[in-house]
């Protein structure tokens, strides 16, 4: 219900999303808008061969740790679409969001269309069950999700690492990701694989 309320608010209320450095911020606050959400943008740039080598070694370790724990990590394909939709639908109930960082659960049709839209997804499997995934286009991360039953065991880091390794192999050298400030575990995850926060965003609406 609160998710529905949040979505309706985002559609019905005049919403401004600006960086905390934006000169319009003061004017909006004076005009009666209030900050209703904070979010961040983070990036990771690999500017030299040495940085690429170091990142690849660290990312491979993240994948290897999950594999040693008995999980299989691999690229996702259209045949995984039902599992992707099921994992995504089941895993966002407790995730903080802002008007700038809402997440609509992925449908099977959307997951099947990922490849055609330049997206690559990587998943972690516990036996036959998909329990974590990371998807993005080039170096731009769309989202990361791990089943509530499997969090805190390094799977989020493993699927992000698998996605980044494939992108690096394809020539990508700059990565971006974003999330809600309240979502501390998401920020902890991306920092743990080398991202640093470069932007802070505020969402404003009239109370
Ligand atoms: C965010 C999410 C993907 C993390 O997955 P996870 O498998 O639990 O994360 P990991 O176990 O790989 O942890 C990665 C790092 O984050 C840290 N971390 C994970 N959960 C944390 C928490 N609740 N509080 C603080 N730090 C946390 C870990 O300590 C680890 O850091 P380290 O490698 O330096 O030790 C998972 O919590 C999730 O699916 N949440 C719901 C969806 C979501 O919020 N997605 C992110 C938006 S894109």
């Amino acid at each position: 219900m609160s998710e529905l309320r949040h979505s309706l608010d985002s559609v019905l209320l005049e919403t401004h999303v600006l960086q905390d450095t934006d000169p319009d911020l003061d004017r909006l606050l004076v005009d009666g808008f209030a900050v209703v959400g904070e979010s961040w943008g983070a990036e990771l740039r690999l500017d030299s061969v040495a940085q690429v080598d170091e990142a690849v070694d660290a990312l491979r370790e993240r994948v290897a740790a999950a594999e040693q724990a008995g999980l299989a990590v691999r690229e996702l394909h259209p045949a995984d679409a039902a599992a992707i939709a099921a994992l995504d639908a089941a895993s966002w109930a407790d995730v903080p969001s802002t008007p700038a960082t809402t997440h609509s659960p992925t449908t099977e049709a959307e997951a099947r269309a990922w490849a055609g839209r330049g997206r690559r997804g990587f998943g972690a499997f516990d036996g036959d069950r998909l329990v974590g995934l990371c998807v993005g286009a080039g170096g731009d991360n769309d989202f990361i999700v791990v089943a509530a039953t499997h969090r805190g065991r390094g799977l989020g880091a493993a699927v992000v690492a698998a996605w980044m390794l494939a992108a690096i192999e394809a020539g990508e050298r700059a990565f971006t990701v974003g999330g809600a400030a309240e979502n501390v575990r998401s920020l902890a995850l991306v920092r743990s694989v080398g991202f640093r926060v470069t932007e802070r965003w505020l969402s404003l609406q009239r109370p």
Side-chain angles (χ1 to χ4, degrees):
M1 186 63 194
S2 68
E3 205 170 291
L4 176 62
R5 171 68 201 267
H6 180 82
S7 311
L8 284 174
D9 282 354
S10 295
V11 171
L12 298 176
L13 297 178
E14 183 183 350
T15 303
H16 295 266
V17 179
L18 348 83
Q19 281 197 55
D20 59 359
T21 51
D22 194 305
D24 284 343
L25 182 57
D26 285 345
R27 180 183 56 75
L28 288 166
L29 292 171
V30 168
D31 280 355
F33 282 86
V35 175
V36 295
E38 296 186 34
S39 50
W40 47 269
E43 66 176 38
L44 171 61
R45 297 187 62 89
L46 302 171
D47 290 326
S48 68
V49 173
Q51 283 176 333
V52 171
D53 290 347
E54 194 183 335
V56 165
D57 286 349
L59 295 169
R60 282 186 178 148
E61 275 179 29
R62 293 308 188 107
V63 176
E67 288 171 344
Q68 277 157 20
L71 282 294
V73 179
R74 67 158 171 84
E75 185 155 15
L76 296 170
H77 304 293
D80 298 307
I84 292 167
L87 171 63
D88 206 20
S91 307
W92 290 83
D94 58 343
V95 179
S97 68
T98 72
T101 57
T102 50
H103 177 80
S104 308
T106 309
T107 64
E108 283 189 48
E110 285 165 349
R112 271 192 297 274
W114 278 353
R117 299 193 172 158
R119 290 187 163 76
R120 293 179 78 178
F122 286 77
F125 290 81
D126 187 350
D128 288 341
R129 182 183 162 210
L130 178 67
V131 291
L133 75 87
C134 172
V135 60
D140 294 329
N141 182 265
D142 286 341
F143 69 89
I144 309 148
V145 67
V146 171
T149 49
H150 285 68
R151 290 181 190 161
R153 303 189 209 169
L155 290 196
V159 291
V160 176
W163 171 74
M164 290 175 69
L165 283 165
I168 291 170
E169 198 179 337
E172 195 60 58
R173 295 294 179 266
F175 292 87
T176 59
V177 61
E182 265 184 274
N183 195 347
V184 288
R185 53 198 185 195
S186 149
L187 188 52
L189 163 61
V190 302
R191 281 189 163 136
S192 83
V193 292
F195 283 83
R196 66 186 183 87
V197 172
T198 52
E199 295 170 357
R200 292 198 179 275
W201 294 82
L202 302 173
S203 300
L204 290 94
Q205 289 172 340
R206 286 190 200 279

